[in-house]
Amino acid sequence: MACVRATSWRWSVLSAVDDRHRRQVAFGPFGSEGQAALAAATVAVVGCGATGGAAAELLTRAGAGRLILIDRDIVALDNLHRQVLFDEEDAREGRPKAVAAGEHLRRVSSAIRLTVEATHLDASNVDRILDNVSIVLDGTDNISTRFLLNDWCFETGVPWVYVGAVGGEGMLLPIVPPRGPCLRCFLPEPPPPGSLATCDTAGVLGPIPTAMGAMAAIEAMKILAGASQPEARKLRTIDFWDWRVRDIALPPRADCPACALGERDFLHDERSTRVIELCGRDTHQILPPPGPRLDLEALADRLDAESDHLLVNRLFLRLDLGAERLTVFADGRALIEGAGNADRARAFYDRYVGT
Ligand SMILES: [Zn+2]
């Protein structure tokens, strides 16, 4: 009976504090202190596709105070088997993922503060976009952005969670500077292009990125609550198809370029990738050198005769030419769908946007 009274009292107090999250607060190891830390946190989600989108939604529901949603891509039909924030209308309209993710999450919680960055994160904008974040979640699909995040997080002391999913596998590594291990303890240099499995070459089983995004959200909550144990920060690889779990508990490398030697090659590297093939379909991203913002309305006037399918708003311009589709953002960045290869994508950009 005493136990019942104690439980009732506890629930009534929790209800007064935060009815929405009371079942989470009731989990002792997280508790009201963890909830308060989460509510005070700003979480950057770099890449709002399958893993990042799942983590973003779960942290929104869990009560994160603020999310920064960063994504350079647009929603396509072949995203929908795994990217849970988007629907057919988003794909039909080819909406920027960061924008569509923000609108979805706004319907989940009116309390959360959202910042939408429909852009490519690189060395030139990382300080501005990640200013004052509490933690960074990796939802990217490429290794170069992960090396940038690793350098930036060790430079600033912000924790980050590396997470990936490809084929039937997922992998996860929570990283908490200044202590290693970090990404470069495991992978000192980026592998050559084309040498890693991608969701283009190996495919990806739809539910796996969501499972990995959930694990990333849990790790973020532990880190923010001060409950992440250094000895538990291992590279965990899960083969979901054959149910094999592998933990690699690597001690921090004494010769790690990032966490031991303090090199920040990827943070200060001003070279920009001009054309990037996006994971998952025939889409290339064109990144012009930094310059003045595009006048999208003026560009729309120039392109008006090219197609009956021209759409322009303050965020982007879309030109549909049948097999190929061009989406240009105000910062000059563009996505070319259907070009077939990087050179054709570059030519397509030069032809319609100009460099
Ligand atoms: Zn390291």
Side-chain angles (χ1 to χ4, degrees):
M1 197 61 189
C3 179
V4 171
R5 275 202 303 273
T7 302
S8 301
W9 173 84
R10 181 173 173 75
W11 277 110
S12 68
V13 171
L14 292 174
S15 176
V17 174
D18 184 348
D19 193 51
R20 184 171 183 139
H21 300 108
R22 62 182 183 175
R23 289 189 173 86
Q24 183 165 275
V25 172
F27 175 62
F30 189 68
S32 55
E33 289 185 6
Q35 193 67 44
L38 184 59
T42 295
V43 181
V45 181
V46 184
C48 299
T51 51
E57 172 146 359
L58 290 169
L59 288 172
T60 298
R61 293 182 185 277
R66 179 180 173 226
L67 287 189
I68 302 175
L69 303 169
I70 305 151
D71 200 294
R72 64 190 182 187
D73 202 2
I74 54 178
V75 182
L77 188 63
D78 62 6
N79 297 151
L80 300 186
H81 85 289
R82 67 190 189 285
Q83 301 191 12
V84 296
L85 297 188
F86 311 127
D87 57 29
E88 291 180 353
E89 188 177 336
D90 294 323
R92 238 186 339 265
E93 296 182 2
R95 306 179 73 206
K97 288 183 182 177
V99 174
E103 290 177 1
H104 175 89
L105 297 176
R106 172 62 61 221
R107 291 194 292 276
V108 171
S109 168
S110 58
I112 193 164
R113 289 175 292 138
L114 296 172
T115 300
V116 170
E117 295 280 356
T119 192
H120 174 71
L121 188 77
D122 62 21
S124 72
N125 60 17
V126 64
D127 283 333
R128 175 186 66 79
I129 292 176
L130 300 187
D131 186 34
N132 280 322
V133 299
S134 314
I135 192 167
V136 177
L137 294 192
D138 165 26
T140 67
D141 60 1
N142 68 89
I143 202 72
S144 60
T145 305
R146 289 175 172 131
F147 274 68
L148 172 76
L149 291 178
N150 196 65
D151 272 6
W152 188 86
C153 287
F154 274 85
E155 183 68 13
T156 57
V158 171
W160 75 289
V161 182
Y162 161 74
V163 60
V166 66
E169 286 191 355
M171 59 223 74
L172 181 82
L173 173 66
I175 298 169
V176 183
R179 186 187 174 109
C182 76
L183 178 63
R184 293 188 76 183
C185 288
F186 291 90
L187 193 61
E189 294 298 328
S195 62
L196 290 180
T198 70
C199 46
D200 257 340
T201 59
V204 60
L205 201 64
I208 290 177
T210 290
M212 298 312 299
M215 291 183 205
I218 293 165
E219 288 302 321
M221 291 170 73
K222 284 198 280 191
I223 291 169
L224 291 169
S228 170
Q229 301 301 319
E231 58 274 14
R233 293 179 204 139
K234 304 166 183 170
L235 177 64
R236 170 158 290 184
T237 304
I238 304 172
D239 181 335
F240 287 89
W241 198 249
D242 292 325
W243 283 125
R244 282 195 301 260
V245 179
R246 199 159 60 108
D247 283 345
I248 304 173
L250 189 71
R253 285 175 53 143
D255 61 347
C256 172
C259 70
L261 304 180
E263 294 174 11
R264 303 287 180 256
D265 315 356
F266 298 89
L267 197 54
H268 301 299
D269 185 356
E270 296 303 325
R271 292 168 299 169
S272 60
T273 305
R274 297 277 296 150
V275 184
I276 299 173
E277 184 174 2
L278 300 189
C279 187
R281 62 184 191 279
D282 179 12
T283 300
H284 292 80
Q285 176 176 230
I286 311 291
L287 287 168
R293 293 176 75 77
L294 282 184
D295 183 341
L296 294 175
E297 290 289 350
L299 182 60
D301 288 343
R302 288 209 307 276
L303 295 174
D304 195 34
E306 299 290 344
S307 167
D308 292 336
H309 302 284
L310 179 70
L311 170 72
V312 65
N313 59 35
R314 66 183 180 83
L315 292 169
F316 64 94
L317 175 149
R318 161 91 29 75
L319 179 68
D320 201 328
L321 291 162
E324 293 164 320
R325 189 157 76 161
L326 168 73
T327 304
V328 190
F329 297 84
D331 61 2
R333 192 172 61 87
L335 297 171
I336 316 285
E337 297 170 73
N341 61 55
D343 287 343
R344 285 201 64 211
R346 190 192 302 264
F348 199 80
Y349 184 88
D350 288 344
R351 193 183 326 149
Y352 291 105
V353 183
T355 52

